[in-house]
Coordinates of all heavy atoms in Angstrom, one line a residue:
T1398 N 0.8 -1.2 0.0 CA 0.0 0.0 0.0 C 0.9 1.3 0.0 O 0.6 2.2 -0.7 CB -0.9 0.0 1.2 OG1 -0.2 -0.2 2.4 CG2 -2.0 -1.0 1.1
F1399 N 1.9 1.3 0.8 CA 2.8 2.5 0.9 C 4.1 2.3 0.2 O 4.8 3.2 0.0 CB 3.0 2.9 2.3 CG 1.8 3.4 3.1 CD1 1.6 3.1 4.4 CD2 0.8 4.0 2.4 CE1 0.5 3.5 5.1 CE2 -0.4 4.4 3.1 CZ -0.5 4.1 4.5
D1400 N 4.4 1.0 -0.2 CA 5.7 0.7 -0.8 C 5.9 1.5 -2.1 O 5.0 1.5 -3.0 CB 5.8 -0.8 -1.1 CG 5.9 -1.6 0.2 OD1 6.1 -1.1 1.3 OD2 5.7 -2.9 0.1
G1401 N 7.0 2.1 -2.2 CA 7.4 2.7 -3.4 C 6.8 4.1 -3.7 O 7.0 4.7 -4.8
R1402 N 6.0 4.5 -2.8 CA 5.3 5.8 -3.0 C 6.1 6.9 -2.4 O 6.7 6.8 -1.3 CB 3.9 5.7 -2.4 CG 3.0 4.7 -3.1 CD 1.7 4.5 -2.5 NE 0.9 5.7 -2.7 CZ -0.3 5.9 -2.1 NH1 -0.8 5.0 -1.3 NH2 -1.0 7.0 -2.2
S1403 N 6.1 8.0 -3.1 CA 6.9 9.2 -2.6 C 6.1 9.9 -1.5 O 4.9 9.7 -1.3 CB 7.1 10.2 -3.8 OG 5.8 10.8 -4.2
I1404 N 6.8 10.8 -0.8 CA 6.2 11.6 0.2 C 5.1 12.4 -0.4 O 4.0 12.5 0.2 CB 7.3 12.6 0.8 CG1 8.4 11.8 1.5 CG2 6.6 13.5 1.8 CD1 9.6 12.6 1.9
A1405 N 5.3 13.0 -1.6 CA 4.2 13.8 -2.2 C 3.0 12.9 -2.5 O 1.9 13.3 -2.3 CB 4.8 14.4 -3.5
E1406 N 3.2 11.7 -3.0 CA 2.1 10.8 -3.4 C 1.3 10.5 -2.1 O 0.1 10.5 -2.1 CB 2.6 9.5 -4.0 CG 3.1 9.8 -5.4 CD 3.8 8.5 -6.0 OE1 4.5 7.8 -5.2 OE2 3.7 8.3 -7.2
L1407 N 2.0 10.1 -1.0 CA 1.3 9.8 0.2 C 0.6 11.0 0.7 O -0.6 10.9 1.2 CB 2.3 9.3 1.2 CG 2.9 7.9 1.0 CD1 4.1 7.6 1.9 CD2 1.8 6.9 1.1
W1408 N 1.2 12.2 0.7 CA 0.5 13.4 1.2 C -0.8 13.7 0.4 O -1.8 14.1 0.9 CB 1.4 14.6 1.1 CG 0.8 15.8 1.8 CD1 0.0 16.8 1.3 CD2 0.8 16.1 3.2 NE1 -0.4 17.6 2.2 CE2 0.1 17.2 3.4 CE3 1.4 15.4 4.3 CZ2 -0.1 17.8 4.7 CZ3 1.2 16.0 5.6 CH2 0.5 17.1 5.7
R1409 N -0.7 13.4 -0.9 CA -1.9 13.7 -1.8 C -3.0 12.7 -1.6 O -4.1 12.8 -2.2 CB -1.5 13.8 -3.2 CG -0.7 15.1 -3.5 CD -0.4 15.2 -5.0 NE 0.2 16.5 -5.3 CZ 1.5 16.7 -5.4 NH1 2.4 15.7 -5.3 NH2 2.0 18.0 -5.6
T1410 N -2.8 11.6 -0.9 CA -3.8 10.6 -0.7 C -4.8 11.1 0.3 O -4.5 11.6 1.4 CB -3.1 9.3 -0.1 OG1 -2.0 8.9 -0.9 CG2 -4.1 8.2 0.1
P1411 N -6.1 11.0 -0.1 CA -7.2 11.5 0.8 C -7.2 10.8 2.2 O -6.8 9.6 2.3 CB -8.5 11.1 0.0 CG -8.0 11.0 -1.4 CD -6.6 10.4 -1.3
D1412 N -7.6 11.5 3.2 CA -7.7 11.0 4.6 C -8.4 9.6 4.6 O -7.9 8.7 5.3 CB -8.4 11.9 5.5 CG -7.5 13.1 5.9 OD1 -6.3 13.1 5.6 OD2 -8.1 14.0 6.5
A1413 N -9.5 9.5 3.9 CA -10.3 8.3 4.0 C -9.5 7.1 3.4 O -9.6 6.0 4.0 CB -11.6 8.4 3.2
E1414 N -8.8 7.3 2.4 CA -8.0 6.2 1.8 C -6.8 5.9 2.7 O -6.5 4.7 2.9 CB -7.4 6.7 0.4 CG -6.8 5.6 -0.4 CD -6.3 6.0 -1.7 OE1 -7.0 6.9 -2.4 OE2 -5.3 5.5 -2.2
L1415 N -6.2 6.9 3.3 CA -5.1 6.6 4.3 C -5.7 5.8 5.5 O -5.0 4.8 5.9 CB -4.5 7.9 4.8 CG -3.6 8.6 3.8 CD1 -3.1 9.9 4.4 CD2 -2.4 7.8 3.4
R1416 N -6.8 6.2 5.9 CA -7.4 5.5 7.1 C -7.7 4.0 6.7 O -7.4 3.2 7.5 CB -8.7 6.2 7.5 CG -9.3 5.9 8.8 CD -10.4 6.9 9.3 NE -9.8 8.2 9.6 CZ -9.9 9.3 8.9 NH1 -10.7 9.3 7.8 NH2 -9.4 10.4 9.3
G1417 N -8.2 3.8 5.5 CA -8.4 2.4 5.1 C -7.1 1.6 5.0 O -7.1 0.4 5.4
A1418 N -6.1 2.3 4.5 CA -4.8 1.6 4.4 C -4.2 1.3 5.7 O -3.5 0.3 5.9 CB -3.8 2.4 3.5
L1419 N -4.4 2.1 6.7 CA -3.9 1.9 8.1 C -4.6 0.8 8.9 O -4.1 0.2 9.8 CB -3.8 3.2 8.9 CG -2.9 4.3 8.3 CD1 -3.1 5.5 9.2 CD2 -1.5 3.9 8.3
K1420 N -5.9 0.6 8.5 CA -6.8 -0.3 9.2 C -6.1 -1.7 9.3 O -5.7 -2.2 8.3 CB -8.1 -0.3 8.6 CG -9.2 -0.9 9.4 CD -10.5 -0.7 8.7 CE -11.6 -1.1 9.7 NZ -13.0 -0.9 9.1
H1421 N -6.1 -2.3 10.4 CA -5.6 -3.6 10.7 C -4.1 -3.7 10.4 O -3.6 -4.8 10.0 CB -6.3 -4.7 9.8 CG -7.8 -4.6 10.1 ND1 -8.4 -4.9 11.3 CD2 -8.8 -4.3 9.2 CE1 -9.7 -4.8 11.2 NE2 -10.0 -4.5 10.0
S1422 N -3.4 -2.6 10.5 CA -1.9 -2.6 10.3 C -1.3 -2.2 11.6 O -1.9 -1.7 12.6 CB -1.5 -1.7 9.2 OG -1.5 -0.3 9.6
A1423 N 0.0 -2.3 11.7 CA 0.8 -1.8 12.9 C 0.7 -0.3 13.1 O 0.9 0.2 14.1 CB 2.2 -2.2 12.7
M1424 N 0.3 0.4 12.0 CA 0.2 1.9 12.1 C -1.2 2.4 12.5 O -1.5 3.6 12.6 CB 0.6 2.5 10.8 CG 2.0 2.3 10.5 SD 2.6 3.3 9.1 CE 2.1 5.0 9.6
T1425 N -2.1 1.5 12.8 CA -3.5 1.9 13.2 C -3.5 2.8 14.4 O -4.2 3.8 14.4 CB -4.4 0.6 13.5 OG1 -4.4 -0.2 12.4 CG2 -5.7 1.0 14.0
R1426 N -2.7 2.5 15.3 CA -2.6 3.3 16.6 C -2.1 4.7 16.3 O -2.6 5.7 16.9 CB -1.7 2.6 17.6 CG -1.7 3.3 18.9 CD -0.9 2.5 19.9 NE -0.9 3.3 21.2 CZ 0.0 3.1 22.1 NH1 0.9 2.2 22.0 NH2 0.0 3.8 23.2
A1427 N -1.2 4.9 15.4 CA -0.6 6.2 15.0 C -1.7 7.0 14.3 O -1.9 8.2 14.6 CB 0.6 6.1 14.1
G1428 N -2.4 6.4 13.4 CA -3.5 7.1 12.8 C -3.1 8.1 11.7 O -1.9 8.3 11.5
V1429 N -4.1 8.6 11.0 CA -3.8 9.5 9.8 C -3.2 10.8 10.3 O -2.3 11.3 9.6 CB -5.1 9.7 9.0 CG1 -4.9 10.7 7.9 CG2 -5.7 8.4 8.5
R1430 N -3.6 11.3 11.4 CA -3.1 12.6 11.9 C -1.6 12.5 12.1 O -0.8 13.4 11.6 CB -3.8 13.0 13.2 CG -3.4 14.3 13.8 CD -4.2 14.6 15.0 NE -3.8 13.8 16.1 CZ -3.1 14.2 17.2 NH1 -2.7 15.5 17.2 NH2 -2.8 13.4 18.2
R1431 N -1.1 11.5 12.8 CA 0.3 11.4 13.0 C 1.1 11.0 11.8 O 2.2 11.4 11.6 CB 0.5 10.4 14.2 CG 0.1 10.9 15.5 CD 0.5 10.0 16.7 NE 0.0 10.5 17.9 CZ -0.9 9.9 18.7 NH1 -1.3 8.7 18.3 NH2 -1.3 10.4 19.8
L1432 N 0.5 10.2 10.9 CA 1.1 9.9 9.6 C 1.3 11.2 8.9 O 2.4 11.4 8.3 CB 0.2 8.9 8.8 CG 0.8 8.6 7.4 CD1 2.2 8.0 7.4 CD2 -0.2 7.7 6.7
R1433 N 0.3 12.1 8.8 CA 0.5 13.3 8.1 C 1.6 14.2 8.8 O 2.4 14.8 8.1 CB -0.8 14.1 8.0 CG -1.8 13.5 7.0 CD -2.5 14.6 6.3 NE -3.5 13.9 5.4 CZ -3.3 13.6 4.1 NH1 -2.2 13.9 3.6 NH2 -4.3 13.1 3.4
R1434 N 1.6 14.2 10.1 CA 2.6 15.0 10.8 C 4.0 14.4 10.3 O 4.9 15.2 10.0 CB 2.5 14.9 12.3 CG 3.6 15.7 13.0 CD 4.1 15.1 14.3 NE 4.2 13.7 14.3 CZ 4.0 12.9 15.4 NH1 3.6 13.5 16.5 NH2 4.2 11.6 15.4
N1435 N 4.2 13.1 10.3 CA 5.5 12.6 10.0 C 5.8 12.8 8.5 O 7.0 13.1 8.2 CB 5.4 11.0 10.3 CG 5.4 10.7 11.7 OD1 5.6 11.6 12.6 ND2 5.2 9.5 12.1
L1436 N 4.8 12.8 7.7 CA 5.1 13.1 6.3 C 5.5 14.6 6.1 O 6.4 14.9 5.3 CB 3.9 12.8 5.4 CG 3.5 11.4 5.2 CD1 2.1 11.2 4.6 CD2 4.6 10.7 4.3
A1437 N 4.9 15.5 6.9 CA 5.3 16.9 6.8 C 6.8 17.0 7.3 O 7.6 17.8 6.7 CB 4.4 17.7 7.7
V1438 N 7.1 16.3 8.3 CA 8.5 16.4 8.8 C 9.5 15.9 7.8 O 10.5 16.5 7.5 CB 8.6 15.6 10.2 CG1 10.1 15.4 10.5 CG2 7.9 16.3 11.3
C1439 N 9.1 14.8 7.1 CA 10.0 14.2 6.0 C 10.1 15.2 4.9 O 11.2 15.4 4.3 CB 9.4 12.9 5.5 SG 9.5 11.6 6.7
A1440 N 9.0 15.9 4.5 CA 9.0 16.8 3.4 C 10.0 18.0 3.8 O 10.8 18.4 2.9 CB 7.6 17.4 3.2
G1441 N 9.9 18.5 5.0 CA 10.8 19.6 5.4 C 12.2 19.1 5.5 O 13.2 19.8 5.1
A1442 N 12.5 18.0 6.1 CA 13.8 17.5 6.3 C 14.6 17.2 5.0 O 15.8 17.4 4.9 CB 13.8 16.2 7.2
T1443 N 13.8 16.7 4.0 CA 14.4 16.3 2.8 C 14.4 17.5 1.8 O 15.1 17.4 0.8 CB 13.7 15.1 2.1 OG1 12.4 15.5 1.9 CG2 13.8 13.9 3.0
A1444 N 13.6 18.5 2.1 CA 13.5 19.7 1.1 C 13.1 19.2 -0.2 O 13.4 19.8 -1.3 CB 14.7 20.5 1.1
D1445 N 12.3 18.1 -0.3 CA 11.8 17.6 -1.6 C 10.8 18.5 -2.2 O 9.7 18.8 -1.6 CB 11.1 16.2 -1.3 CG 10.6 15.5 -2.5 OD1 9.7 16.2 -3.2 OD2 11.0 14.4 -2.8
A1446 N 11.1 19.1 -3.3 CA 10.2 20.1 -3.9 C 8.8 19.6 -4.2 O 7.8 20.3 -4.0 CB 10.9 20.6 -5.2
N1447 N 8.7 18.4 -4.7 CA 7.4 17.8 -4.9 C 6.6 17.6 -3.6 O 5.4 17.9 -3.6 CB 7.5 16.5 -5.6 CG 7.9 16.6 -7.1 OD1 7.7 17.6 -7.7 ND2 8.6 15.6 -7.6
A1448 N 7.2 17.2 -2.6 CA 6.5 17.0 -1.3 C 6.1 18.4 -0.7 O 5.0 18.5 -0.2 CB 7.5 16.3 -0.3
L1449 N 7.0 19.4 -0.8 CA 6.7 20.7 -0.3 C 5.5 21.3 -1.1 O 4.6 22.0 -0.5 CB 7.9 21.6 -0.3 CG 9.0 21.2 0.6 CD1 10.3 22.0 0.4 CD2 8.6 21.3 2.1
S1450 N 5.5 21.1 -2.4 CA 4.4 21.5 -3.2 C 3.1 20.9 -2.8 O 2.0 21.5 -2.7 CB 4.7 21.2 -4.7 OG 3.6 21.6 -5.5
A1451 N 3.1 19.6 -2.5 CA 2.0 18.8 -2.0 C 1.5 19.4 -0.7 O 0.3 19.5 -0.5 CB 2.3 17.3 -1.9
L1452 N 2.4 19.8 0.2 CA 2.0 20.4 1.5 C 1.2 21.7 1.2 O 0.2 22.0 2.0 CB 3.2 20.7 2.3 CG 4.0 19.5 2.9 CD1 5.1 20.1 3.8 CD2 3.1 18.5 3.6
R1453 N 1.6 22.4 0.2 CA 0.9 23.7 -0.1 C -0.5 23.4 -0.7 O -1.4 24.2 -0.5 CB 1.7 24.5 -1.0 CG 2.9 25.2 -0.4 CD 3.6 26.1 -1.4 NE 5.0 26.2 -1.1 CZ 6.0 25.5 -1.5 NH1 5.7 24.6 -2.4 NH2 7.2 25.7 -1.1
D1454 N -0.6 22.4 -1.5 CA -1.8 22.2 -2.4 C -2.9 21.4 -1.8 O -4.0 21.5 -2.1 CB -1.3 21.5 -3.7 CG -0.4 22.3 -4.5 OD1 -0.3 23.5 -4.3 OD2 0.3 21.7 -5.4
V1455 N -2.6 20.4 -0.9 CA -3.5 19.5 -0.4 C -4.1 19.9 1.0 O -3.3 20.3 1.9 CB -2.9 18.1 -0.3 CG1 -3.9 17.1 0.4 CG2 -2.5 17.6 -1.6
H1456 N -5.4 20.0 1.1 CA -6.0 20.4 2.4 C -7.1 19.4 2.8 O -8.3 19.7 2.7 CB -6.6 21.8 2.2 CG -5.5 22.8 1.9 ND1 -4.6 23.2 2.8 CD2 -5.3 23.4 0.7 CE1 -3.8 24.1 2.2 NE2 -4.2 24.2 0.9
E1457 N -6.6 18.3 3.2 CA -7.6 17.3 3.8 C -7.9 17.7 5.2 O -7.2 18.5 5.8 CB -6.9 15.9 3.8 CG -6.8 15.2 2.5 CD -8.1 14.8 1.9 OE1 -8.9 14.2 2.6 OE2 -8.4 15.1 0.7
P1458 N -9.0 17.2 5.8 CA -9.4 17.6 7.1 C -8.3 17.5 8.2 O -8.2 18.3 9.1 CB -10.6 16.7 7.4 CG -11.2 16.4 6.1 CD -10.0 16.3 5.2
T1459 N -7.5 16.4 8.1 CA -6.4 16.3 9.1 C -5.4 17.4 9.0 O -4.7 17.6 10.0 CB -5.7 14.9 9.0 OG1 -5.3 14.7 7.7 CG2 -6.6 13.8 9.4
C1460 N -5.3 18.0 7.9 CA -4.3 19.1 7.7 C -4.7 20.3 8.6 O -3.8 21.1 8.9 CB -4.2 19.6 6.3 SG -3.7 18.3 5.2
D1461 N -5.9 20.4 9.1 CA -6.3 21.5 10.0 C -6.1 21.2 11.4 O -6.2 22.1 12.3 CB -7.8 21.8 9.8 CG -8.2 22.3 8.4 OD1 -7.3 23.0 7.8 OD2 -9.3 22.1 7.9
D1462 N -5.7 20.0 11.7 CA -5.4 19.6 13.1 C -4.1 20.5 13.5 O -3.2 20.6 12.8 CB -5.0 18.1 13.2 CG -4.7 17.7 14.6 OD1 -3.5 17.9 15.0 OD2 -5.6 17.2 15.3
P1463 N -4.1 21.1 14.7 CA -3.0 21.9 15.1 C -1.7 21.3 15.1 O -0.7 21.9 14.7 CB -3.4 22.3 16.6 CG -4.9 22.2 16.7 CD -5.2 21.0 15.7
L1464 N -1.6 20.0 15.4 CA -0.3 19.3 15.4 C 0.2 19.2 13.9 O 1.4 19.4 13.7 CB -0.4 17.9 16.0 CG 0.8 17.0 15.9 CD1 1.8 17.5 16.9 CD2 0.4 15.5 16.2
V1465 N -0.7 18.8 13.0 CA -0.3 18.7 11.6 C 0.0 20.1 11.0 O 1.0 20.3 10.3 CB -1.4 18.0 10.8 CG1 -1.1 17.9 9.3 CG2 -1.7 16.6 11.4
A1466 N -0.8 21.0 11.3 CA -0.6 22.4 10.8 C 0.7 23.0 11.2 O 1.4 23.6 10.4 CB -1.8 23.3 11.2
E1467 N 1.1 22.8 12.4 CA 2.3 23.2 12.9 C 3.5 22.7 12.2 O 4.5 23.4 11.8 CB 2.5 22.9 14.4 CG 3.8 23.2 15.0 CD 4.0 22.8 16.5 OE1 3.0 22.3 17.1 OE2 5.1 22.8 17.0
H1468 N 3.4 21.4 11.8 CA 4.5 20.7 11.1 C 4.5 21.1 9.6 O 5.6 21.1 9.0 CB 4.5 19.2 11.4 CG 4.9 18.9 12.7 ND1 4.1 18.9 13.8 CD2 6.2 18.5 13.2 CE1 4.8 18.6 14.9 NE2 6.1 18.4 14.5
I1469 N 3.3 21.4 9.1 CA 3.3 21.9 7.7 C 4.0 23.2 7.6 O 4.8 23.4 6.8 CB 1.8 22.0 7.2 CG1 1.2 20.6 7.1 CG2 1.8 22.8 5.9 CD1 -0.3 20.7 6.9
H1470 N 3.7 24.1 8.6 CA 4.3 25.4 8.6 C 5.8 25.3 8.8 O 6.6 26.0 8.1 CB 3.7 26.2 9.8 CG 4.3 27.6 9.9 ND1 3.9 28.6 9.1 CD2 5.1 28.0 10.8 CE1 4.6 29.7 9.5 NE2 5.4 29.4 10.5
W1471 N 6.2 24.4 9.7 CA 7.7 24.2 9.9 C 8.4 23.8 8.6 O 9.4 24.3 8.2 CB 7.9 23.2 11.0 CG 9.3 22.8 11.2 CD1 10.3 23.4 11.9 CD2 9.9 21.6 10.6 NE1 11.5 22.7 11.8 CE2 11.3 21.6 11.0 CE3 9.4 20.6 9.8 CZ2 12.1 20.6 10.6 CZ3 10.3 19.6 9.4 CH2 11.7 19.6 9.8
A1472 N 7.8 22.8 8.0 CA 8.4 22.2 6.7 C 8.4 23.2 5.6 O 9.5 23.3 4.9 CB 7.5 21.0 6.3
L1473 N 7.4 24.0 5.5 CA 7.4 25.0 4.4 C 8.4 26.1 4.7 O 9.1 26.6 3.8 CB 6.0 25.6 4.2 CG 5.0 24.6 3.6 CD1 3.6 25.2 3.6 CD2 5.4 24.1 2.3
E1474 N 8.5 26.5 6.0 CA 9.5 27.5 6.3 C 10.9 27.0 6.1 O 11.8 27.6 5.5 CB 9.4 27.9 7.8 CG 8.5 29.0 8.1 CD 8.7 29.5 9.5 OE1 9.4 28.9 10.3 OE2 8.0 30.6 9.8
L1475 N 11.2 25.7 6.5 CA 12.5 25.1 6.3 C 12.8 25.0 4.8 O 13.9 25.3 4.4 CB 12.5 23.8 7.0 CG 13.8 23.0 7.1 CD1 14.8 23.8 8.0 CD2 13.6 21.6 7.6
G1476 N 11.8 24.5 4.1 CA 12.0 24.3 2.6 C 12.2 25.6 1.8 O 12.8 25.6 0.8
S1477 N 11.7 26.7 2.4 CA 11.9 28.0 1.6 C 13.2 28.7 2.0 O 13.5 29.7 1.5 CB 10.7 28.9 1.9 OG 10.7 29.4 3.3
G1478 N 13.9 28.1 3.0 CA 15.2 28.7 3.4 C 15.1 29.9 4.3 O 16.0 30.6 4.4
L1479 N 13.9 30.1 4.9 CA 13.7 31.2 5.8 C 14.4 31.0 7.1 O 14.6 29.9 7.6 CB 12.2 31.5 6.1 CG 11.5 31.9 4.8 CD1 10.0 32.0 5.2 CD2 11.9 33.2 4.3

């Protein structure tokens, strides 16, 4: 399900699809919110242009969660060199 997919591809995946993919897996406990947070951290840490673009473009409901929004902001700041 997640094998071979880029950070950007995973970020662009709708919340409902991510939730379904996590169901009955070891990542169920982490959930979509924490997965999105971790993807944002990866996007910022790698400065991957496609991933940073995805962070700007995709606004799934979990992106509004304060924890996720904070990490999106961090990644975009880091990625822009500010």
Side-chain angles (χ1 to χ4, degrees):
T1398 54
F1399 296 143
D1400 291 345
R1402 295 177 66 188
S1403 69
I1404 297 166
E1406 289 171 323
L1407 288 170
W1408 189 267
R1409 288 186 172 100
T1410 304
D1412 283 351
E1414 189 176 329
L1415 288 174
R1416 198 167 286 108
L1419 295 178
K1420 196 172 189 176
H1421 305 298
S1422 79
M1424 291 192 55
T1425 300
R1426 186 171 177 204
V1429 176
R1430 181 177 74 106
R1431 290 188 183 120
L1432 174 60
R1433 285 220 186 265
R1434 181 214 41 214
N1435 290 349
L1436 289 168
V1438 169
C1439 290
T1443 61
D1445 179 304
N1447 289 331
L1449 293 170
S1450 178
L1452 292 184
R1453 285 186 208 92
D1454 297 343
V1455 174
H1456 300 288
E1457 286 292 311
T1459 53
C1460 297
D1461 293 330
D1462 181 276
L1464 177 73
V1465 178
E1467 175 185 350
H1468 286 83
I1469 292 169
H1470 178 76
W1471 172 83
L1473 292 174
E1474 269 192 355
L1475 189 65
S1477 69
L1479 296 176

